[in-house]
Amino acid sequence: MSALPNITLSTGLNSERFAMHLSQRAALPDWWLETKKTAWNQFNALPMPTRNDERWRFSNLKGLDLDGYVLPEEPAVHVPHLPDFEHAAEMTFSNRQVVDRSTLPAELAAKGVIFAPLTEALRDHGDLVRRYFQKYPANLGSEKFVALNTAFTATGAVLFVPKGVEIEKPIVVQHTLAGDHKSAFPHTLVILEDNAKATLVEYFVSASAQEAHLVSGVNDLHAGPGSQLTYVGVQNWSEKTLAFQTNSIAVERDARVLSVNLHLGGQQVRHESHSRMLAPGAHSDMCSLTVAHGKQEFDQRTLQTHAAPHTSSNLLYKNALINQAHTIFSGLIVVDPDAQKTDAYQSNRNLLLSEEASADSLPGLEIQANDVKCTHGATSATIDPEQLYYLKSRGIPAHQSYELLVFGFFESVLDKLIDQNLHDALGNFIQDKFKKL
């Protein structure tokens, strides 16, 4: 293996700590260690975002401070209990360690389904991980933070579903982080082969609402021909967390992917999602719900790439903003020259619940084919005074009135979840946030 660069950063995640991280994983495949070293070099070589970078337009760059964060060494004493519902298997990570895990039902294991921690999958299924891990590079602005994830990632789940296998109940993964100025780098890899079906629910939570955290997470979601994948991500980090999440979605012929992300926690959160429709019949639904309060900033960047004819995508991002919260949405639909008969839609809706709240929206199209149907739009509106008056006149307090109106605003996304238990679980998270405001 090549030598490590002699670089020491002011952040606690320095070259010495990276060398220790590598040495602790010396038994893992050489290609994995080389991938990590390459990523560490890339992280150090890439500059921090600047005001001249269009991909960071409107972002609070002063908040991107990585100094002083360290890797946790011990699991959290307290692991939050999250809404439970009937599921096929689960895995819980706390401060980089697996603290709870249930085995797959015997019939699924017999059919070749794999559900394992990333390090275990590297040991037992290294070729599979290598084939799909970061198969498509990040390209929406957070390349530096994705490289940091690759360099330090040690936790995450790998879900592999073979051809024709359908998992009816969701698979659940939880990531918990505890300790002031601790960091986490979860990486999730989901692979569905031809005509497979699965749902993965992923929770990201802090053990304490007041501890400062740094998180850089990555998801690689691969839907093979004819498969059906549902991904649900719930983020409720602490109020002092700086978080980056990068999702890569690859959709093959006649496959369908539904991704729903719920954003509640964090001080400054950057979420990037890129869907690639790679063959005819591919379809991707990209959905997001955000409840922003105080001075929270949620920065959302999306890309819908149609690389083949007869593909479709539908994006719906909804944000509810309270106090001085700020959201940013920048989305682009790209249609390649040969992607005729593309049908793509993109919508960002913002509900401003206070005069101080602000929402920036930058939807866009880049169409290189001449036989397509592509539309995009963005709106920002306040609560309808008549609706609010009606609820108050029925004896409903103002706080609960706002909550009811937000639920109505979000319902079009929540209704995309066929599983009523999932629908209710996300609703409970939203309701819990309003109780704390």
Side-chain angles (χ1 to χ4, degrees), residues 1 13 16-37 71-74 93-98 117-120 122-123 148-156 183-187:
M1 295 188 293
L13 304 171
E16 290 80 9
R17 188 63 187 88
F18 177 67
M20 182 186 300
H21 174 79
L22 275 189
S23 66
Q24 292 170 338
R25 286 150 185 83
L28 294 176
D30 286 344
W31 72 264
W32 177 249
L33 302 181
E34 287 293 340
T35 297
K36 282 180 163 292
K37 291 172 68 175
L71 292 173
E73 301 297 339
E74 301 293 336
F93 296 93
S94 175
N95 286 5
R96 301 196 305 151
Q97 299 185 39
V98 179
L118 178 59
T119 51
E120 182 180 308
L122 283 164
R123 184 194 66 204
L148 185 62
N149 171 278
T150 303
F152 279 107
T153 190
T155 58
S183 56
F185 303 96
H187 199 120

Side-chain angles (χ1 to χ4, degrees), residues 74 81 94 173 188 195 348-349 362 371 401 414:
E74 301 293 336
H81 177 71
S94 175
V173 179
T188 299
N195 302 310
N348 171 225
R349 308 295 181 192
L362 298 90
D371 187 7
S401 298
L414 294 175

Side-chain angles (χ1 to χ4, degrees), residues 167-217:
I167 304 178
E168 296 301 330
K169 299 176 183 178
I171 302 289
V172 178
V173 179
Q174 177 179 336
H175 303 276
T176 298
L177 188 57
D180 197 37
H181 277 80
K182 293 300 191 293
S183 56
F185 303 96
H187 199 120
T188 299
L189 180 60
V190 179
I191 306 150
L192 269 60
E193 289 194 326
D194 302 18
N195 302 310
K197 179 181 178 182
T199 297
L200 181 76
V201 181
E202 197 164 27
Y203 295 125
F204 304 90
V205 294
S206 295
S208 169
Q210 298 302 319
E211 294 174 336
H213 295 149
L214 169 66
V215 181
S216 178

